[in-house]
Amino acid sequence: MTQPWWFVLLLCWWPVHNLVLAAFAWRAPRPAPERSPSLLRFWIVIPALNEERVIANTVRNALRLGSAETPVRVLVIDDGSDDATPEIVAGIADDRLHVLRRDLPNARQGKGEALNAGYRYIDAIAAREGTVSQTVVGIIDGDGRGSAGLLTEVAAMLRSRGVGAVQCRVRIHNRHRLLALLQDLEFGAIADASQSLRDVLGSVGMGGNGQFTRLSVLRKFGPSPWSDCLVEDLELGLRLHLAGVRIRYTQRAWVTQQGLEDTRRLLRQRTRWAQGNLQCSRHLRSLATSRFIAGTGLFDFLVYLVVPWLTVPLSLIAVALLVIVPVAVLTGNSFGGLVAETGNLSQAVVWWLAALLLPGIMWAIVYFVRLRDEPLHRALLAGLCYPAFLLLGVLATWRAVFRIVLKRNVWAKTERLAELPA
């Protein structure tokens, strides 16, 4: 039986979309030739709220990233920690390490407010030293680890004309369990390919880990560059694009972070991210009318801000189809060609399973070939489980919509896993 055209389009869209996206996983653009010989001075900001399990490794790694060509200072923003975080940081003897302690009632008002306080601290020092134009502010979370040569790569990109910010690749370092491995597949392969495509389109998004921005660019937004949005990093990226600031993405420098190893905490994290993405839709009109954004870049912005809102109705359609199929099998009603006749049912099931599973297998192969730090059988296992991982994202979006309707915007911090000293 011939299927309707829209049915064939629906069946093909998902694998074709992933195939096109995967092509950009192989793109590794070099920075443009250096246009300015000026030395860039880096501040790495580490927002910390009860990070006693991970903060020592993170601070020591950040201090090691500096060199004569890329001098670095590290600012730990202790956002009202009541565990051993202050004592651990105080025990690290290095004159490049600065600590900004925020106590209640100013503390614990969200990561954005903590970053704004850190920005004002750095801006005052740079203004006093006369180094505002050379200063770069980078964000690494409390569980983050930068790769060797990270600052050299970022500096090369920032010396290109018109570039005001750089986003680095993100990986997961505790990927020994399947759930964390799935997150590394997501960040290290799929999100990496998406950002590489956006680097071409001019619509690179900012992430919470591994973002670097010129201090002179942050100054465009007054004393508070970061907002109270639940994904303050994504919103900062949107504000940079609206201001005409070019953001680049690099695969050659990366920051690793802890993956979540239980489903409950992962669902809570993804619900927060989904809620933040939904909040960012308030910029749709500004993006659509911006003189700095046009063409395919504008289309990409519209897609990743609108699609989260479509997740709920599309998932309802999917549930309806799951109900219709058994009804069709029992009654023989094809519902206008939507469901294959009984004789073609096995063939239809094969096509649907192929459309569902092949993208994950394709990403597993990309992940294995490009990164070469996990065996093929683990990569394939993650690829086969990828559709279930996406289902978790759908559930998170449902929860995010309910939270927006109920005007709930308060979140408990995700607890870290203990780490051995690095």
Side-chain angles (χ1 to χ4, degrees), residues 37 214 317 370:
R214 286 184 176 274
I317 293 173
R370 286 287 290 161

Side-chain angles (χ1 to χ4, degrees), residues 203-243:
S203 55
V204 171
M206 296 282 266
N209 236 342
Q211 58 169 281
F212 289 82
T213 311
R214 286 184 176 274
L215 179 61
S216 56
V217 168
L218 291 174
R219 277 186 153 198
K220 295 175 182 289
F221 305 104
S224 301
W226 287 273
S227 71
D228 60 355
C229 178
L230 291 175
V231 283
E232 77 295 321
D233 45 5
L234 174 61
E235 184 158 60
L236 175 64
L238 294 174
R239 296 175 72 189
L240 291 175
H241 284 294
L242 288 169

Side-chain angles (χ1 to χ4, degrees), residues 317-357:
I317 293 173
V319 171
L321 289 174
L322 290 176
V323 173
I324 288 172
V325 169
V327 172
V329 172
L330 293 174
T331 64
N333 186 347
S334 67
F335 292 92
L338 179 64
V339 181
E341 295 176 346
T342 305
N344 299 328
L345 190 58
S346 59
Q347 181 182 0
V349 169
V350 169
W351 278 109
W352 274 107
L353 285 175
L356 181 67
L357 297 176

Side-chain angles (χ1 to χ4, degrees), residues 54 56 70 77 92 114 130 180-181 184 196 200 212 226 245 256 258 305 313-314 323 339 341 357 372 375 381 402:
V54 294
T70 54
I77 306 171
I92 301 175
L181 180 64
D184 194 48
S196 296
V200 175
F212 289 82
W226 287 273
V245 177
T256 67
Q258 274 193 2
L305 290 179
L314 288 176
V323 173
V339 181
E341 295 176 346
L357 297 176
R372 293 287 183 178
L381 175 61
F402 281 121

Side-chain angles (χ1 to χ4, degrees), residues 168-328:
C168 300
R169 177 188 248 171
V170 176
R171 297 288 309 276
I172 300 296
H173 51 245
N174 61 317
R175 51 183 181 270
H176 49 281
R177 292 190 177 180
L178 178 59
L179 194 58
L181 180 64
L182 278 161
Q183 294 163 67
D184 194 48
L185 172 70
E186 176 190 36
F187 288 127
I190 303 168
D192 172 68
S194 299
Q195 289 281 52
S196 296
L197 172 60
R198 289 170 183 155
D199 194 54
V200 175
L201 301 179
S203 55
V204 171
M206 296 282 266
N209 236 342
Q211 58 169 281
F212 289 82
T213 311
R214 286 184 176 274
L215 179 61
S216 56
V217 168
L218 291 174
R219 277 186 153 198
K220 295 175 182 289
F221 305 104
S224 301
W226 287 273
S227 71
D228 60 355
C229 178
L230 291 175
V231 283
E232 77 295 321
D233 45 5
L234 174 61
E235 184 158 60
L236 175 64
L238 294 174
R239 296 175 72 189
L240 291 175
H241 284 294
L242 288 169
V245 177
R246 187 182 178 196
I247 305 174
R248 292 295 309 276
Y249 173 73
T250 176
Q251 297 175 320
R252 290 185 172 85
W254 60 89
V255 174
T256 67
Q257 63 187 40
Q258 274 193 2
L260 298 177
E261 296 185 350
D262 72 85
T263 306
R264 180 179 59 83
R265 289 178 181 172
L266 182 61
L267 181 60
R268 184 172 66 182
Q269 178 200 68
R270 296 310 167 96
T271 302
R272 183 176 74 249
W273 290 0
Q275 187 173 350
N277 284 357
L278 294 171
Q279 290 174 338
C280 284
S281 62
R282 60 194 175 196
H283 293 286
L284 279 170
R285 176 173 294 184
S286 298
L287 290 166
T289 57
S290 172
R291 63 189 178 92
F292 299 113
I293 303 168
T296 51
L298 174 59
F299 177 77
D300 184 55
F301 282 123
L302 296 179
V303 167
Y304 75 74
L305 290 179
V306 170
V307 164
W309 288 101
L310 299 178
T311 299
V312 169
L314 288 176
S315 60
L316 288 174
I317 293 173
V319 171
L321 289 174
L322 290 176
V323 173
I324 288 172
V325 169
V327 172

